Amino acid sequence: MYAAATRSLAIAILLSTAVPDASEAAGQIPYGTRAGMSVTIKAMDGIDTEKASIKVEHTRQNAKEFCVEYSLDQSEACVERTLKDVRINDVLIGNCRTAQFTNLRGEQRIFAGANLDHDAVQYSPEYRIFKKGERAYLDGSSGSGYPVDLEQFKALCPSAYAQAMTAFETRPKFIGRWYLDDKKICGNPDGAAEGLLTYTSREFLAIEMACKFTNVRAVGDRYEISMNCASEGQTSKERVTLGVSKGKLVRTITVDRKQTTFTYNRCPF
């Protein structure tokens, strides 16, 4: 629905993205979330293609950085122990056409682009990364491996990441949870309190009402949305115009055949 609105910005970022080749291999890639958990890039090949690969090595210097920065241990014994304990692949591979990649732990991942519903779901990540075969994306926490997987995908497929970054940064501002008068209602689940509205990229939830978007049209800085709705056992077709001004949601609907506008505040989660 939003591809046309972001295409020109995506092209601009892609054109300005420097894509490294094997001769430009340098730097480090994380293999874990703790300080000093990095490996050294030795070679890069096919970056941004269906056969992207990055050869890495866990060097003595990498091990020393982990010991000093995380373990606060400058001994050679720590370095030797870290070199022995770290067991990861020595190559990172990916298919940037399908956005599938195998991380340094040997686990298959799928990068599914920007998470447009980031502002509507508490603690949700900016981008969606799936374990292959699972329906739920990684939750964005360090424990899920999300930060490391994201950095590894960015190294393999910088153009695909740049396009996703553009989509995230230009996501519709109406997406989120909004309250009319009392901020306390934000503590309720979606659709469970009077005056609490939730807009995602595909649906709308309010008390005793759930709607699926059938069409979203950008008109200037506002969006005209057509929806199929269900409420108290009845179905209907609804239209709403949404905009965001000074951080507030401006919602215009038809009430008794008259256009009526309401203003909402964004929930702080």
Side-chain angles (χ1 to χ4, degrees):
M1 294 178 181
Y2 312 108
T6 62
R7 188 176 298 116
S8 60
L9 283 175
I11 291 172
I13 285 185
L14 293 178
L15 291 176
S16 65
T17 300
V19 180
D21 58 30
S23 65
E24 298 173 324
Q28 298 180 342
I29 294 178
Y31 68 83
T33 57
R34 294 173 178 172
M37 282 188 166
S38 296
V39 291
T40 298
I41 298 172
K42 306 301 289 185
M44 306 174 76
D45 189 41
I47 298 303
D48 267 335
T49 73
E50 68 275 8
K51 294 182 179 180
S53 66
I54 301 176
K55 180 76 173 178
V56 302
E57 180 183 349
H58 185 236
T59 67
R60 177 171 288 275
Q61 180 61 33
N62 295 144
K64 184 175 182 179
E65 289 173 0
F66 171 76
C67 288
V68 172
E69 295 176 16
Y70 179 74
S71 298
L72 303 180
D73 184 345
Q74 300 189 38
S75 70
E76 282 300 308
C78 179
V79 173
E80 293 295 337
R81 184 170 59 252
T82 302
L83 287 170
K84 180 181 179 180
D85 290 346
V86 173
R87 293 289 181 265
I88 56 174
N89 289 349
D90 62 359
V91 64
L92 181 63
I93 60 174
N95 182 334
C96 299
R97 304 284 185 251
T98 63
Q100 298 186 40
F101 65 106
T102 301
N103 64 26
L104 290 176
R105 298 183 300 277
E107 301 163 337
Q108 292 184 309
R109 297 287 186 262
I110 301 172
F111 179 79
N115 178 16
L116 298 182
D117 295 335
H118 172 72
D119 299 310
V121 181
Q122 190 172 20
Y123 305 125
S124 66
E126 296 179 351
Y127 303 96
R128 296 174 299 153
I129 299 177
F130 292 83
K131 293 181 180 180
K132 191 172 182 179
E134 296 193 5
R135 299 185 64 180
Y137 53 77
L138 301 182
D139 62 19
S141 66
S142 296
S144 74
Y146 168 88
V148 175
D149 286 338
L150 182 61
E151 290 302 315
Q152 292 181 10
F153 178 79
K154 285 166 61 176
L156 287 167
C157 308
S159 291
Y161 173 74
Q163 188 171 9
M165 182 175 65
T166 301
F168 181 78
E169 291 178 348
T170 58
R171 66 195 183 282
K173 292 182 175 61
F174 69 77
I175 295 173
R177 305 178 79 236
W178 306 89
Y179 68 95
L180 186 59
D181 296 312
D182 187 356
K183 184 168 60 176
K184 292 180 180 179
I185 66 172
C186 294
N188 290 281
D190 296 338
E194 189 73 43
L196 177 63
L197 309 182
T198 301
Y199 282 98
T200 72
S201 58
R202 297 177 180 272
E203 64 181 8
F204 164 66
L205 295 172
I207 190 166
E208 299 181 344
M209 176 175 280
C211 303
K212 298 288 186 182
F213 297 172
T214 57
N215 187 59
V216 178
R217 187 167 72 97
V219 181
D221 60 353
R222 298 193 172 217
Y223 289 87
E224 293 181 353
I225 303 175
S226 299
M227 307 179 290
N228 288 334
C229 298
S231 177
E232 298 181 319
Q234 302 294 316
T235 60
S236 62
K237 295 183 181 297
E238 306 289 342
R239 296 188 64 183
V240 62
T241 299
L242 300 175
V244 176
S245 177
K246 298 181 180 180
K248 296 180 181 292
L249 178 71
V250 180
R251 176 174 178 253
T252 301
I253 59 176
T254 300
V255 178
D256 296 330
R257 298 184 180 181
K258 294 181 180 180
Q259 294 288 303
T260 304
T261 298
F262 300 89
T263 301
Y264 298 78
N265 302 289
R266 187 181 291 275
C267 282
F269 280 114

